[in-house]
Amino acid sequence: MPEKSRAADRICSEIEQAIAMGAYEDGEKLNEVALARQFDVSRTPLREALQSLQAIGLVELIPNRGAFVRRPSMTRLVEMFELMGEMEALCVKLATKRITPAQRLRLQEAARGCEEALSEGRADDYYAANGRLHGVIYEASGNEFLAEETRRLLRRLSPFRRRQLDVTGRLRASMGEHAAILEAMDRGEAEAAADLMRVHITALSRTYDQYIAAVGPRAEAG
């Protein structure tokens, strides 16, 4: 990967996490000069990062005016997680019926990766393994359009999903939910796996108060 692209990815990741943590208000203008100085980069990778953020709806680039934060309200986030829950539920329902032996092995490896990372307190590795686990389920659904659209929404929600897990201490509970989902899949219980996945994904709405308390009133501004 070119150096500029790696820098752009790093900047994009850090800014989206800052938005998820409530560091910016909705509608706040981003100071590109200050950001370039902060990240010690030229304007080129910074603008590439801002374009990526625009693509996932967290920044709006207005010609001759600049870049503005577009932070979703908490209500909007809950709505997005509700849709994500339904999409992932359908993915796992189909995957339970269609998963191949090779995909099942990869799913088990990802689950072990989550368990090991959690037991050793390696949060970044947990999120990486968690991403692989869900990715295998999307692939195993056998419906590429559904998989593409689910990945697209996941990309938009990723910084908020991670922040919600961090804030509410849900990592261990999340791991337990993974185990229950995989057990239902092993038993061939497609509807049960779908119900468990729906609950797993929509947990954000059940921890609303904790999230708001952690990120402050800006999260509700949107």
Side-chain angles (χ1 to χ4, degrees):
M1 181 184 292
E3 188 66 31
K4 287 182 179 178
S5 294
R6 285 199 297 269
D9 288 345
R10 174 176 61 86
I11 296 164
C12 180
S13 178
E14 292 198 28
I15 293 176
E16 70 182 10
Q17 285 299 320
I19 293 172
M21 291 171 67
Y24 299 104
E25 293 186 26
D26 182 60
E28 183 174 341
K29 184 176 181 179
L30 295 173
N31 186 324
E32 294 185 38
V33 174
L35 286 171
R37 189 180 305 116
Q38 174 186 336
F39 292 110
D40 192 24
V41 295
S42 68
R43 297 288 284 277
T44 300
L46 175 60
R47 286 173 176 166
E48 186 179 334
L50 293 175
Q51 288 169 353
S52 296
L53 290 164
Q54 178 173 242
I56 59 174
L58 293 179
V59 164
E60 181 180 6
L61 299 176
I62 303 177
N64 303 316
R65 290 188 59 197
F68 296 83
V69 171
R70 291 293 177 254
R71 177 185 170 79
S73 68
M74 198 63 208
T75 299
R76 182 71 165 179
L77 280 174
V78 171
E79 291 173 348
M80 293 168 72
F81 270 93
E82 286 178 346
L83 176 57
M84 188 74 186
E86 294 303 319
M87 293 172 75
E88 292 225 22
L90 180 55
C91 282
V92 79
K93 179 179 178 179
L94 294 175
T96 301
K97 302 172 183 177
R98 300 173 178 176
I99 192 167
T100 67
Q103 289 168 336
R104 193 177 296 279
L105 283 174
R106 288 166 50 209
L107 193 60
Q108 293 167 349
E109 289 172 0
R112 283 196 297 273
C114 286
E115 291 170 359
E116 291 169 3
L118 182 60
S119 66
E120 297 171 11
R122 294 181 281 108
D124 288 344
D125 290 342
Y126 177 88
Y127 293 115
N130 178 70
R132 292 194 299 273
L133 185 149
H134 284 269
V136 173
I137 291 174
Y138 305 160
E139 177 190 319
S141 73
N143 185 319
E144 187 54 33
F145 180 74
L146 173 62
E148 288 173 359
E149 293 304 306
T150 306
R151 291 188 197 102
R152 194 188 312 277
L153 182 54
L154 174 64
R155 179 66 189 89
R156 292 189 66 185
L157 283 171
S158 286
F160 300 98
R161 189 170 179 175
R162 172 159 184 169
R163 182 59 180 159
Q164 186 261 351
L165 287 172
D166 287 342
V167 166
T168 61
R170 267 190 44 81
L171 285 179
R172 190 159 298 282
S174 177
M175 187 64 255
E177 291 161 8
H178 284 166
I181 292 166
L182 268 56
E183 288 170 5
M185 292 180 71
D186 287 343
R187 295 191 300 268
E189 298 175 356
E191 292 294 344
D195 289 342
L196 289 165
M197 180 65 84
R198 187 177 295 109
V199 171
H200 174 63
I201 298 300
T202 57
L204 177 65
S205 61
R206 301 195 306 278
T207 51
Y208 177 93
D209 292 339
Q210 289 173 271
Y211 187 90
I212 289 296
V215 302
R218 290 181 181 181
E220 292 183 300

